[in-house]
Amino acid sequence: MLSLSSLGYRAIAPDLRGYGETDAPPCASSYTAFHIVGDLLGLLDALSLDKVFLVGHDWGAIIAWYLCLFRPDRIKALVNLSVVFNPRNPSTKPIETLRAMLGDDYYMCRFQEPEMEEEFGRAETATLIKSFLLTRDPAPPRLPKEIGFAAYLNVTPTTLPSWITDEDINYYATKFNHTGFTGGLNYYRCLDLNWELTGPWTGSQIKVPVKFIVGDLDLTYHIPGIKEYINSGGFKKVVPDLEVVVMEGAAHFINQEKAQEISSHIYDFIKKF
């Protein structure tokens, strides 16, 4: 944000519903793509912003795809990180697909379970967040019930890389200790509901200019079929105005790990419009 604002842009980074200082409704059905996109459109309207450049990462990227899908008239261009646009499969719900491909222990499948809040609560929040931020294992994350998060907590590095500090981690932990993890989990619990609600957009393309950036160590890049989808033209069929960047040696939290490079990529793209 500081990099872009120093170049003359007004940069806005809202806490999405369920995170930080934003309200966190307890019910999973309050976190559909329609709800979150509606929140963002309400924010744009409140700030009297007709069209904006959009940047997203992880769940922010998923919501950014939905915003471009539902309201391309409000977006000048999109820079999205880590998570590709997955067109709706009309025959199979997302969780069913994930269970078949990656098993019941895959984290998105486990997050559907109501006891996950209790499982998160048994781990020390700062240590848990550190393990998420610093993992460089691109294998699909699995959380077997018998061990839970233990496998990840036991391999957390003791020395932090230069791009993250204890102050950063403690800040995130404080926010999660305030809101809890239910809001974040509810995004995953809406995967199938989003699938049901977005039937009318089956076969639709993303019609705004897009730059997509992913690290070659990102776990999302190693989901079965994703590399082929990105590199063999499948991605460009559904996002026709697409530029792809694969950054070597970068893992999932690429926006923090490679902050200056990402800022440069964003500026180099949006200055064209």
Side-chain angles (χ1 to χ4, degrees), residues 15-63:
D15 291 335
L16 294 182
R17 179 182 297 221
Y19 289 100
E21 299 299 317
T22 297
D23 289 350
C27 182
S29 61
S30 296
Y31 290 78
T32 71
F34 291 161
H35 287 87
I36 311 303
V37 169
D39 290 343
L40 295 175
L41 292 172
L43 177 62
L44 296 184
D45 291 344
L47 296 172
S48 300
L49 298 171
D50 181 47
K51 297 186 76 170
V52 295
F53 295 112
L54 185 62
V55 179
H57 172 259
D58 196 80
W59 261 106
I62 296 172
I63 297 303

mmCIF file of all heavy atoms in Angstrom, residues 15-63:
data_model
loop_
_atom_site.group_PDB
_atom_site.id
_atom_site.type_symbol
_atom_site.label_atom_id
_atom_site.label_comp_id
_atom_site.label_asym_id
_atom_site.label_seq_id
_atom_site.Cartn_x
_atom_site.Cartn_y
_atom_site.Cartn_z
ATOM 1 N N ASP A 15 -10.596 -4.973 5.903
ATOM 2 C CA ASP A 15 -10.717 -6.294 6.528
ATOM 3 C C ASP A 15 -12.018 -6.912 6.017
ATOM 4 O O ASP A 15 -13.094 -6.344 6.209
ATOM 5 C CB ASP A 15 -10.799 -6.171 8.051
ATOM 6 C CG ASP A 15 -9.496 -5.721 8.683
ATOM 7 O OD1 ASP A 15 -8.446 -5.942 8.069
ATOM 8 O OD2 ASP A 15 -9.543 -5.153 9.795
ATOM 9 N N LEU A 16 -11.927 -8.050 5.358
ATOM 10 C CA LEU A 16 -13.145 -8.705 4.883
ATOM 11 C C LEU A 16 -13.994 -9.181 6.060
ATOM 12 O O LEU A 16 -13.500 -9.350 7.185
ATOM 13 C CB LEU A 16 -12.801 -9.887 3.981
ATOM 14 C CG LEU A 16 -12.125 -9.560 2.647
ATOM 15 C CD1 LEU A 16 -11.901 -10.846 1.858
ATOM 16 C CD2 LEU A 16 -12.946 -8.568 1.821
ATOM 17 N N ARG A 17 -15.253 -9.383 5.800
ATOM 18 C CA ARG A 17 -16.188 -9.912 6.800
ATOM 19 C C ARG A 17 -15.568 -11.120 7.514
ATOM 20 O O ARG A 17 -15.065 -12.047 6.881
ATOM 21 C CB ARG A 17 -17.477 -10.320 6.088
ATOM 22 C CG ARG A 17 -18.543 -10.898 6.972
ATOM 23 C CD ARG A 17 -19.763 -11.322 6.154
ATOM 24 N NE ARG A 17 -20.420 -10.204 5.485
ATOM 25 C CZ ARG A 17 -21.736 -10.043 5.392
ATOM 26 N NH1 ARG A 17 -22.548 -10.957 5.912
ATOM 27 N NH2 ARG A 17 -22.257 -9.018 4.744
ATOM 28 N N GLY A 18 -15.590 -11.103 8.850
ATOM 29 C CA GLY A 18 -15.045 -12.207 9.628
ATOM 30 C C GLY A 18 -13.600 -12.029 10.056
ATOM 31 O O GLY A 18 -13.085 -12.843 10.825
ATOM 32 N N TYR A 19 -12.963 -10.952 9.583
ATOM 33 C CA TYR A 19 -11.543 -10.739 9.881
ATOM 34 C C TYR A 19 -11.309 -9.371 10.521
ATOM 35 O O TYR A 19 -12.043 -8.415 10.262
ATOM 36 C CB TYR A 19 -10.705 -10.823 8.606
ATOM 37 C CG TYR A 19 -10.581 -12.202 8.030
ATOM 38 C CD1 TYR A 19 -11.369 -12.600 6.952
ATOM 39 C CD2 TYR A 19 -9.675 -13.117 8.556
ATOM 40 C CE1 TYR A 19 -11.250 -13.870 6.405
ATOM 41 C CE2 TYR A 19 -9.548 -14.382 8.022
ATOM 42 C CZ TYR A 19 -10.335 -14.758 6.949
ATOM 43 O OH TYR A 19 -10.205 -16.008 6.423
ATOM 44 N N GLY A 20 -10.241 -9.278 11.317
ATOM 45 C CA GLY A 20 -9.777 -8.002 11.835
ATOM 46 C C GLY A 20 -10.841 -7.239 12.594
ATOM 47 O O GLY A 20 -11.460 -7.754 13.527
ATOM 48 N N GLU A 21 -11.069 -5.996 12.168
ATOM 49 C CA GLU A 21 -12.001 -5.115 12.862
ATOM 50 C C GLU A 21 -13.405 -5.151 12.262
ATOM 51 O O GLU A 21 -14.299 -4.433 12.723
ATOM 52 C CB GLU A 21 -11.467 -3.673 12.828
ATOM 53 C CG GLU A 21 -10.121 -3.491 13.504
ATOM 54 C CD GLU A 21 -10.154 -3.860 14.974
ATOM 55 O OE1 GLU A 21 -11.119 -3.489 15.672
ATOM 56 O OE2 GLU A 21 -9.207 -4.541 15.435
ATOM 57 N N THR A 22 -13.606 -5.982 11.224
ATOM 58 C CA THR A 22 -14.918 -6.077 10.583
ATOM 59 C C THR A 22 -15.778 -7.088 11.332
ATOM 60 O O THR A 22 -15.269 -8.031 11.935
ATOM 61 C CB THR A 22 -14.760 -6.460 9.103
ATOM 62 O OG1 THR A 22 -14.042 -5.415 8.436
ATOM 63 C CG2 THR A 22 -16.090 -6.630 8.404
ATOM 64 N N ASP A 23 -17.094 -6.902 11.276
ATOM 65 C CA ASP A 23 -18.019 -7.812 11.955
ATOM 66 C C ASP A 23 -17.811 -9.254 11.495
ATOM 67 O O ASP A 23 -17.458 -9.514 10.343
ATOM 68 C CB ASP A 23 -19.471 -7.407 11.670
ATOM 69 C CG ASP A 23 -19.875 -6.125 12.378
ATOM 70 O OD1 ASP A 23 -19.099 -5.658 13.233
ATOM 71 O OD2 ASP A 23 -20.942 -5.576 12.059
ATOM 72 N N ALA A 24 -18.049 -10.189 12.394
ATOM 73 C CA ALA A 24 -17.858 -11.611 12.115
ATOM 74 C C ALA A 24 -19.125 -12.384 12.477
ATOM 75 O O ALA A 24 -19.216 -12.972 13.559
ATOM 76 C CB ALA A 24 -16.663 -12.152 12.889
ATOM 77 N N PRO A 25 -20.121 -12.392 11.594
ATOM 78 C CA PRO A 25 -21.343 -13.157 11.881
ATOM 79 C C PRO A 25 -20.999 -14.632 12.117
ATOM 80 O O PRO A 25 -20.115 -15.187 11.443
ATOM 81 C CB PRO A 25 -22.181 -12.982 10.620
ATOM 82 C CG PRO A 25 -21.621 -11.789 9.934
ATOM 83 C CD PRO A 25 -20.171 -11.751 10.277
ATOM 84 N N PRO A 26 -21.681 -15.303 13.046
ATOM 85 C CA PRO A 26 -21.335 -16.697 13.352
ATOM 86 C C PRO A 26 -21.831 -17.704 12.322
ATOM 87 O O PRO A 26 -21.274 -18.797 12.205
ATOM 88 C CB PRO A 26 -22.014 -16.930 14.701
ATOM 89 C CG PRO A 26 -23.165 -15.968 14.723
ATOM 90 C CD PRO A 26 -22.690 -14.761 13.983
ATOM 91 N N CYS A 27 -22.874 -17.353 11.569
ATOM 92 C CA CYS A 27 -23.512 -18.312 10.665
ATOM 93 C C CYS A 27 -22.755 -18.398 9.342
ATOM 94 O O CYS A 27 -22.482 -17.375 8.702
ATOM 95 C CB CYS A 27 -24.957 -17.899 10.419
ATOM 96 S SG CYS A 27 -25.861 -19.035 9.351
ATOM 97 N N ALA A 28 -22.441 -19.622 8.910
ATOM 98 C CA ALA A 28 -21.666 -19.803 7.680
ATOM 99 C C ALA A 28 -22.382 -19.237 6.467
ATOM 100 O O ALA A 28 -21.737 -18.709 5.550
ATOM 101 C CB ALA A 28 -21.374 -21.295 7.470
ATOM 102 N N SER A 29 -23.706 -19.300 6.445
ATOM 103 C CA SER A 29 -24.454 -18.829 5.269
ATOM 104 C C SER A 29 -24.395 -17.314 5.108
ATOM 105 O O SER A 29 -24.873 -16.784 4.100
ATOM 106 C CB SER A 29 -25.909 -19.294 5.348
ATOM 107 O OG SER A 29 -26.549 -18.764 6.487
ATOM 108 N N SER A 30 -23.782 -16.615 6.063
ATOM 109 C CA SER A 30 -23.593 -15.170 5.955
ATOM 110 C C SER A 30 -22.294 -14.812 5.233
ATOM 111 O O SER A 30 -21.930 -13.630 5.168
ATOM 112 C CB SER A 30 -23.587 -14.523 7.346
ATOM 113 O OG SER A 30 -24.831 -14.668 7.982
ATOM 114 N N TYR A 31 -21.604 -15.812 4.697
ATOM 115 C CA TYR A 31 -20.305 -15.590 4.073
ATOM 116 C C TYR A 31 -20.271 -16.018 2.606
ATOM 117 O O TYR A 31 -19.217 -16.342 2.076
ATOM 118 C CB TYR A 31 -19.214 -16.344 4.837
ATOM 119 C CG TYR A 31 -18.934 -15.763 6.204
ATOM 120 C CD1 TYR A 31 -19.785 -16.021 7.280
ATOM 121 C CD2 TYR A 31 -17.831 -14.951 6.429
ATOM 122 C CE1 TYR A 31 -19.541 -15.492 8.539
ATOM 123 C CE2 TYR A 31 -17.577 -14.416 7.688
ATOM 124 C CZ TYR A 31 -18.438 -14.687 8.734
ATOM 125 O OH TYR A 31 -18.194 -14.154 9.976
ATOM 126 N N THR A 32 -21.405 -15.992 1.939
ATOM 127 C CA THR A 32 -21.403 -16.365 0.530
ATOM 128 C C THR A 32 -20.667 -15.313 -0.289
ATOM 129 O O THR A 32 -20.429 -14.185 0.157
ATOM 130 C CB THR A 32 -22.832 -16.508 -0.028
ATOM 131 O OG1 THR A 32 -23.430 -15.206 -0.126
ATOM 132 C CG2 THR A 32 -23.684 -17.417 0.843
ATOM 133 N N ALA A 33 -20.339 -15.675 -1.524
ATOM 134 C CA ALA A 33 -19.702 -14.718 -2.424
ATOM 135 C C ALA A 33 -20.570 -13.485 -2.611
ATOM 136 O O ALA A 33 -20.057 -12.366 -2.743
ATOM 137 C CB ALA A 33 -19.430 -15.384 -3.768
ATOM 138 N N PHE A 34 -21.880 -13.664 -2.609
ATOM 139 C CA PHE A 34 -22.776 -12.511 -2.751
ATOM 140 C C PHE A 34 -22.647 -11.555 -1.565
ATOM 141 O O PHE A 34 -22.639 -10.334 -1.736
ATOM 142 C CB PHE A 34 -24.234 -12.979 -2.869
ATOM 143 C CG PHE A 34 -24.551 -13.703 -4.148
ATOM 144 C CD1 PHE A 34 -25.670 -14.505 -4.235
ATOM 145 C CD2 PHE A 34 -23.748 -13.585 -5.269
ATOM 146 C CE1 PHE A 34 -25.982 -15.179 -5.408
ATOM 147 C CE2 PHE A 34 -24.035 -14.250 -6.451
ATOM 148 C CZ PHE A 34 -25.166 -15.053 -6.514
ATOM 149 N N HIS A 35 -22.550 -12.116 -0.354
ATOM 150 C CA HIS A 35 -22.388 -11.270 0.831
ATOM 151 C C HIS A 35 -21.080 -10.474 0.772
ATOM 152 O O HIS A 35 -21.067 -9.258 1.012
ATOM 153 C CB HIS A 35 -22.389 -12.115 2.104
ATOM 154 C CG HIS A 35 -23.725 -12.652 2.500
ATOM 155 N ND1 HIS A 35 -24.212 -13.836 2.009
ATOM 156 C CD2 HIS A 35 -24.667 -12.177 3.346
ATOM 157 C CE1 HIS A 35 -25.403 -14.064 2.546
ATOM 158 N NE2 HIS A 35 -25.704 -13.081 3.354
ATOM 159 N N ILE A 36 -19.971 -11.170 0.478
ATOM 160 C CA ILE A 36 -18.666 -10.515 0.535
ATOM 161 C C ILE A 36 -18.513 -9.504 -0.598
ATOM 162 O O ILE A 36 -18.031 -8.381 -0.385
ATOM 163 C CB ILE A 36 -17.526 -11.555 0.497
ATOM 164 C CG1 ILE A 36 -17.768 -12.685 1.510
ATOM 165 C CG2 ILE A 36 -16.188 -10.866 0.777
ATOM 166 C CD1 ILE A 36 -17.935 -12.235 2.947
ATOM 167 N N VAL A 37 -18.933 -9.887 -1.797
ATOM 168 C CA VAL A 37 -18.893 -8.933 -2.908
ATOM 169 C C VAL A 37 -19.809 -7.751 -2.614
ATOM 170 O O VAL A 37 -19.466 -6.593 -2.888
ATOM 171 C CB VAL A 37 -19.266 -9.620 -4.237
ATOM 172 C CG1 VAL A 37 -19.501 -8.586 -5.341
ATOM 173 C CG2 VAL A 37 -18.166 -10.589 -4.656
ATOM 174 N N GLY A 38 -20.956 -8.023 -2.023
ATOM 175 C CA GLY A 38 -21.858 -6.934 -1.643
ATOM 176 C C GLY A 38 -21.224 -5.979 -0.659
ATOM 177 O O GLY A 38 -21.400 -4.756 -0.753
ATOM 178 N N ASP A 39 -20.469 -6.527 0.306
ATOM 179 C CA ASP A 39 -19.744 -5.671 1.254
ATOM 180 C C ASP A 39 -18.785 -4.735 0.509
ATOM 181 O O ASP A 39 -18.688 -3.542 0.811
ATOM 182 C CB ASP A 39 -18.934 -6.517 2.234
ATOM 183 C CG ASP A 39 -19.801 -7.292 3.224
ATOM 184 O OD1 ASP A 39 -20.986 -6.951 3.375
ATOM 185 O OD2 ASP A 39 -19.263 -8.233 3.846
ATOM 186 N N LEU A 40 -18.051 -5.293 -0.451
ATOM 187 C CA LEU A 40 -17.060 -4.504 -1.175
ATOM 188 C C LEU A 40 -17.716 -3.449 -2.059
ATOM 189 O O LEU A 40 -17.233 -2.311 -2.151
ATOM 190 C CB LEU A 40 -16.163 -5.424 -2.004
ATOM 191 C CG LEU A 40 -15.289 -6.380 -1.188
ATOM 192 C CD1 LEU A 40 -14.541 -7.331 -2.107
ATOM 193 C CD2 LEU A 40 -14.307 -5.617 -0.317
ATOM 194 N N LEU A 41 -18.809 -3.806 -2.698
ATOM 195 C CA LEU A 41 -19.528 -2.826 -3.513
ATOM 196 C C LEU A 41 -20.094 -1.712 -2.635
ATOM 197 O O LEU A 41 -20.078 -0.537 -3.024
ATOM 198 C CB LEU A 41 -20.652 -3.503 -4.300
ATOM 199 C CG LEU A 41 -20.198 -4.470 -5.399
ATOM 200 C CD1 LEU A 41 -21.381 -5.220 -5.973
ATOM 201 C CD2 LEU A 41 -19.455 -3.721 -6.501
ATOM 202 N N GLY A 42 -20.574 -2.086 -1.454
ATOM 203 C CA GLY A 42 -21.052 -1.073 -0.516
ATOM 204 C C GLY A 42 -19.940 -0.128 -0.108
ATOM 205 O O GLY A 42 -20.158 1.088 0.036
ATOM 206 N N LEU A 43 -18.725 -0.675 0.071
ATOM 207 C CA LEU A 43 -17.579 0.156 0.419
ATOM 208 C C LEU A 43 -17.245 1.119 -0.719
ATOM 209 O O LEU A 43 -17.011 2.319 -0.489
ATOM 210 C CB LEU A 43 -16.371 -0.729 0.738
ATOM 211 C CG LEU A 43 -15.059 -0.015 1.043
ATOM 212 C CD1 LEU A 43 -15.184 0.867 2.275
ATOM 213 C CD2 LEU A 43 -13.936 -1.023 1.225
ATOM 214 N N LEU A 44 -17.222 0.610 -1.951
ATOM 215 C CA LEU A 44 -16.952 1.477 -3.098
ATOM 216 C C LEU A 44 -17.983 2.591 -3.206
ATOM 217 O O LEU A 44 -17.646 3.756 -3.465
ATOM 218 C CB LEU A 44 -16.917 0.663 -4.394
ATOM 219 C CG LEU A 44 -15.815 -0.390 -4.538
ATOM 220 C CD1 LEU A 44 -15.875 -1.026 -5.914
ATOM 221 C CD2 LEU A 44 -14.446 0.215 -4.287
ATOM 222 N N ASP A 45 -19.248 2.227 -3.009
ATOM 223 C CA ASP A 45 -20.309 3.236 -3.077
ATOM 224 C C ASP A 45 -20.152 4.273 -1.970
ATOM 225 O O ASP A 45 -20.335 5.471 -2.193
ATOM 226 C CB ASP A 45 -21.681 2.567 -2.982
ATOM 227 C CG ASP A 45 -22.023 1.735 -4.207
ATOM 228 O OD1 ASP A 45 -21.354 1.908 -5.249
ATOM 229 O OD2 ASP A 45 -22.949 0.896 -4.118
ATOM 230 N N ALA A 46 -19.812 3.816 -0.770
ATOM 231 C CA ALA A 46 -19.655 4.742 0.360
ATOM 232 C C ALA A 46 -18.507 5.717 0.127
ATOM 233 O O ALA A 46 -18.543 6.859 0.601
ATOM 234 C CB ALA A 46 -19.416 3.955 1.648
ATOM 235 N N LEU A 47 -17.492 5.263 -0.632
ATOM 236 C CA LEU A 47 -16.338 6.106 -0.935
ATOM 237 C C LEU A 47 -16.491 6.831 -2.271
ATOM 238 O O LEU A 47 -15.552 7.493 -2.736
ATOM 239 C CB LEU A 47 -15.061 5.259 -0.950
ATOM 240 C CG LEU A 47 -14.684 4.608 0.389
ATOM 241 C CD1 LEU A 47 -13.513 3.650 0.207
ATOM 242 C CD2 LEU A 47 -14.360 5.663 1.432
ATOM 243 N N SER A 48 -17.661 6.677 -2.905
ATOM 244 C CA SER A 48 -17.960 7.322 -4.200
ATOM 245 C C SER A 48 -16.931 6.949 -5.270
ATOM 246 O O SER A 48 -16.476 7.785 -6.054
ATOM 247 C CB SER A 48 -18.025 8.845 -4.039
ATOM 248 O OG SER A 48 -19.033 9.216 -3.117
ATOM 249 N N LEU A 49 -16.576 5.660 -5.305
ATOM 250 C CA LEU A 49 -15.623 5.144 -6.286
ATOM 251 C C LEU A 49 -16.374 4.309 -7.318
ATOM 252 O O LEU A 49 -16.936 3.265 -6.980
ATOM 253 C CB LEU A 49 -14.553 4.307 -5.594
ATOM 254 C CG LEU A 49 -13.679 5.058 -4.583
ATOM 255 C CD1 LEU A 49 -12.798 4.078 -3.810
ATOM 256 C CD2 LEU A 49 -12.826 6.105 -5.275
ATOM 257 N N ASP A 50 -16.372 4.760 -8.552
ATOM 258 C CA ASP A 50 -17.111 4.058 -9.596
ATOM 259 C C ASP A 50 -16.362 2.825 -10.086
ATOM 260 O O ASP A 50 -16.927 1.740 -10.182
ATOM 261 C CB ASP A 50 -17.381 5.010 -10.761
ATOM 262 C CG ASP A 50 -18.163 4.339 -11.880
ATOM 263 O OD1 ASP A 50 -19.167 3.661 -11.569
ATOM 264 O OD2 ASP A 50 -17.766 4.481 -13.053
ATOM 265 N N LYS A 51 -15.058 2.981 -10.401
ATOM 266 C CA LYS A 51 -14.232 1.876 -10.895
ATOM 267 C C LYS A 51 -12.881 1.913 -10.197
ATOM 268 O O LYS A 51 -12.333 3.000 -9.942
ATOM 269 C CB LYS A 51 -14.036 1.963 -12.408
ATOM 270 C CG LYS A 51 -15.315 1.844 -13.219
ATOM 271 C CD LYS A 51 -15.034 1.781 -14.708
ATOM 272 C CE LYS A 51 -14.515 0.415 -15.124
ATOM 273 N NZ LYS A 51 -14.458 0.243 -16.612
ATOM 274 N N VAL A 52 -12.334 0.744 -9.924
ATOM 275 C CA VAL A 52 -11.060 0.658 -9.213
ATOM 276 C C VAL A 52 -10.176 -0.417 -9.819
ATOM 277 O O VAL A 52 -10.642 -1.323 -10.513
ATOM 278 C CB VAL A 52 -11.276 0.330 -7.714
ATOM 279 C CG1 VAL A 52 -12.002 1.459 -7.014
ATOM 280 C CG2 VAL A 52 -12.031 -1.001 -7.541
ATOM 281 N N PHE A 53 -8.882 -0.301 -9.558
ATOM 282 C CA PHE A 53 -7.966 -1.412 -9.758
ATOM 283 C C PHE A 53 -8.109 -2.323 -8.543
ATOM 284 O O PHE A 53 -8.251 -1.844 -7.415
ATOM 285 C CB PHE A 53 -6.523 -0.938 -9.878
ATOM 286 C CG PHE A 53 -6.268 -0.091 -11.090
ATOM 287 C CD1 PHE A 53 -5.963 1.256 -10.966
ATOM 288 C CD2 PHE A 53 -6.327 -0.651 -12.361
ATOM 289 C CE1 PHE A 53 -5.724 2.036 -12.081
ATOM 290 C CE2 PHE A 53 -6.086 0.125 -13.488
ATOM 291 C CZ PHE A 53 -5.796 1.475 -13.346
ATOM 292 N N LEU A 54 -8.056 -3.623 -8.774
ATOM 293 C CA LEU A 54 -8.291 -4.595 -7.713
ATOM 294 C C LEU A 54 -7.091 -5.522 -7.574
ATOM 295 O O LEU A 54 -6.521 -5.972 -8.579
ATOM 296 C CB LEU A 54 -9.548 -5.407 -8.046
ATOM 297 C CG LEU A 54 -10.079 -6.414 -7.033
ATOM 298 C CD1 LEU A 54 -10.485 -5.724 -5.737
ATOM 299 C CD2 LEU A 54 -11.276 -7.172 -7.615
ATOM 300 N N VAL A 55 -6.695 -5.795 -6.325
ATOM 301 C CA VAL A 55 -5.601 -6.726 -6.032
ATOM 302 C C VAL A 55 -6.087 -7.704 -4.974
ATOM 303 O O VAL A 55 -6.684 -7.289 -3.966
ATOM 304 C CB VAL A 55 -4.347 -5.985 -5.525
ATOM 305 C CG1 VAL A 55 -3.233 -6.988 -5.210
ATOM 306 C CG2 VAL A 55 -3.874 -4.953 -6.536
ATOM 307 N N GLY A 56 -5.849 -9.001 -5.174
ATOM 308 C CA GLY A 56 -6.289 -9.997 -4.200
ATOM 309 C C GLY A 56 -5.266 -11.102 -4.017
ATOM 310 O O GLY A 56 -4.444 -11.362 -4.902
ATOM 311 N N HIS A 57 -5.334 -11.749 -2.855
ATOM 312 C CA HIS A 57 -4.465 -12.897 -2.562
ATOM 313 C C HIS A 57 -5.252 -13.907 -1.742
ATOM 314 O O HIS A 57 -6.012 -13.539 -0.847
ATOM 315 C CB HIS A 57 -3.228 -12.447 -1.775
ATOM 316 C CG HIS A 57 -2.397 -13.596 -1.266
ATOM 317 N ND1 HIS A 57 -2.461 -14.038 0.040
ATOM 318 C CD2 HIS A 57 -1.497 -14.392 -1.895
ATOM 319 C CE1 HIS A 57 -1.630 -15.052 0.189
ATOM 320 N NE2 HIS A 57 -1.028 -15.290 -0.961
ATOM 321 N N ASP A 58 -5.073 -15.196 -2.048
ATOM 322 C CA ASP A 58 -5.717 -16.283 -1.307
ATOM 323 C C ASP A 58 -7.242 -16.096 -1.342
ATOM 324 O O ASP A 58 -7.821 -15.999 -2.413
ATOM 325 C CB ASP A 58 -5.148 -16.359 0.116
ATOM 326 C CG ASP A 58 -5.475 -17.669 0.803
ATOM 327 O OD1 ASP A 58 -4.789 -18.664 0.528
ATOM 328 O OD2 ASP A 58 -6.422 -17.705 1.594
ATOM 329 N N TRP A 59 -7.919 -16.044 -0.186
ATOM 330 C CA TRP A 59 -9.368 -15.833 -0.229
ATOM 331 C C TRP A 59 -9.702 -14.462 -0.803
ATOM 332 O O TRP A 59 -10.759 -14.277 -1.424
ATOM 333 C CB TRP A 59 -9.999 -16.020 1.148
ATOM 334 C CG TRP A 59 -10.607 -17.383 1.281
ATOM 335 C CD1 TRP A 59 -10.121 -18.437 1.988
ATOM 336 C CD2 TRP A 59 -11.810 -17.842 0.648
ATOM 337 N NE1 TRP A 59 -10.936 -19.536 1.839
ATOM 338 C CE2 TRP A 59 -11.980 -19.192 1.024
ATOM 339 C CE3 TRP A 59 -12.739 -17.255 -0.203
ATOM 340 C CZ2 TRP A 59 -13.053 -19.960 0.573
ATOM 341 C CZ3 TRP A 59 -13.809 -18.019 -0.660
ATOM 342 C CH2 TRP A 59 -13.956 -19.354 -0.270
ATOM 343 N N GLY A 60 -8.816 -13.496 -0.608
ATOM 344 C CA GLY A 60 -9.026 -12.212 -1.269
ATOM 345 C C GLY A 60 -9.037 -12.359 -2.776
ATOM 346 O O GLY A 60 -9.787 -11.666 -3.477
ATOM 347 N N ALA A 61 -8.212 -13.278 -3.295
ATOM 348 C CA ALA A 61 -8.189 -13.537 -4.737
ATOM 349 C C ALA A 61 -9.494 -14.186 -5.200
ATOM 350 O O ALA A 61 -10.035 -13.836 -6.253
ATOM 351 C CB ALA A 61 -6.999 -14.427 -5.097
ATOM 352 N N ILE A 62 -9.987 -15.139 -4.424
ATOM 353 C CA ILE A 62 -11.249 -15.797 -4.789
ATOM 354 C C ILE A 62 -12.379 -14.772 -4.842
ATOM 355 O O ILE A 62 -13.179 -14.744 -5.800
ATOM 356 C CB ILE A 62 -11.573 -16.921 -3.787
ATOM 357 C CG1 ILE A 62 -10.510 -18.023 -3.860
ATOM 358 C CG2 ILE A 62 -12.971 -17.506 -4.062
ATOM 359 C CD1 ILE A 62 -10.640 -19.082 -2.782
ATOM 360 N N ILE A 63 -12.455 -13.918 -3.832
ATOM 361 C CA ILE A 63 -13.492 -12.889 -3.812
ATOM 362 C C ILE A 63 -13.282 -11.906 -4.961
ATOM 363 O O ILE A 63 -14.252 -11.427 -5.577
ATOM 364 C CB ILE A 63 -13.502 -12.161 -2.458
ATOM 365 C CG1 ILE A 63 -13.856 -13.148 -1.325
ATOM 366 C CG2 ILE A 63 -14.493 -11.007 -2.475
ATOM 367 C CD1 ILE A 63 -15.176 -13.878 -1.497
#
